[in-house]
Amino acid sequence: MYKSRSPPSKNPPRGKNRQPQKKRSLRKEKEKVVIEEIKKSEEVNQICGICLSEEGKKTIRGTLNCCSHFFCFVCIMEWSKVESRCPLCKQRFVTITKAATKSSAGFNSRIAVIQVPERDQVYVPFEEELGDYLDLYKNILCTKCQQDVG
């Protein structure tokens, strides 16, 4: 008679095929180093969320008080004239901070904090556009004579 074999267990038996504690800790340390390198590389090559230009020597950073997204100061100031929410995460901001810069002549500009009034981007249609929406019978035909009702 044949004995039926039970399917192999998914978990290895205790004591066998287990990695030593040192190998696991080395692997975790390597993973931490790789994650830190990725974070550093992301910080170095930041791109403006509006114009998509990379951060450079000529670019002045504009920092919002609500999040840490990167924007050129000029871009986010133009955006704030229409909308006072971050273009990426939609959080409301109240201030834009202009980072201090150093010119080639040796002059330093101060850090500037600009107050932004609350603004919501709203589309205001012209009267001609509104006329199409307000005239309910403009594009309706009579079912009997097929003539324009409006």
Side-chain angles (χ1 to χ4, degrees):
M1 295 195 167
Y2 297 102
K3 286 187 177 181
S4 63
R5 281 188 171 177
S6 60
S9 173
K10 291 182 182 178
N11 299 328
R14 294 182 187 233
K16 289 185 179 179
N17 297 333
R18 289 192 135 199
Q19 294 180 351
Q21 188 69 22
K22 289 181 183 179
K23 286 185 180 180
R24 272 193 251 148
S25 63
L26 286 174
R27 186 182 312 153
K28 286 182 182 180
E29 287 177 27
K30 287 180 183 178
E31 288 173 0
K32 286 180 184 178
V33 170
V34 169
I35 290 171
E36 288 175 11
E37 288 176 4
I38 291 171
K39 286 181 181 178
K40 286 179 185 176
S41 68
E42 287 175 353
E43 290 174 6
V44 173
N45 298 326
Q46 291 190 346
I47 297 174
C48 174
I50 297 172
C51 72
L52 303 179
S53 65
E54 289 188 16
E55 180 181 24
K57 291 182 181 179
K58 295 181 181 179
T59 306
I60 299 171
R61 181 177 181 152
T63 307
L64 305 177
N65 67 317
C66 65
C67 62
S68 60
H69 290 117
F70 176 79
F71 300 104
C72 303
F73 178 74
V74 174
C75 291
I76 197 62
M77 282 301 295
E78 285 299 311
W79 178 270
S80 70
K81 291 176 183 177
V82 177
E83 177 75 59
S84 61
R85 293 181 186 271
C86 172
L88 300 177
C89 67
K90 307 300 182 204
Q91 291 185 52
R92 177 91 50 199
F93 60 88
V94 181
T95 61
I96 300 172
T97 305
K98 178 182 176 184
T101 57
K102 203 175 211 182
S103 68
S104 58
F107 297 109
N108 292 336
S109 69
R110 295 184 194 173
I111 294 175
V113 178
I114 292 94
Q115 295 292 323
V116 179
E118 185 174 316
R119 293 191 175 109
D120 288 315
Q121 186 174 358
V122 178
Y123 174 71
V124 180
F126 295 106
E127 283 185 38
E128 297 85 36
E129 295 172 320
L130 280 176
D132 294 343
Y133 294 111
L134 296 177
D135 187 5
L136 301 176
Y137 300 104
K138 184 175 183 179
N139 296 320
I140 296 180
L141 300 176
C142 177
T143 54
K144 289 190 178 186
C145 65
Q146 299 299 321
Q147 289 186 4
D148 189 17
V149 175

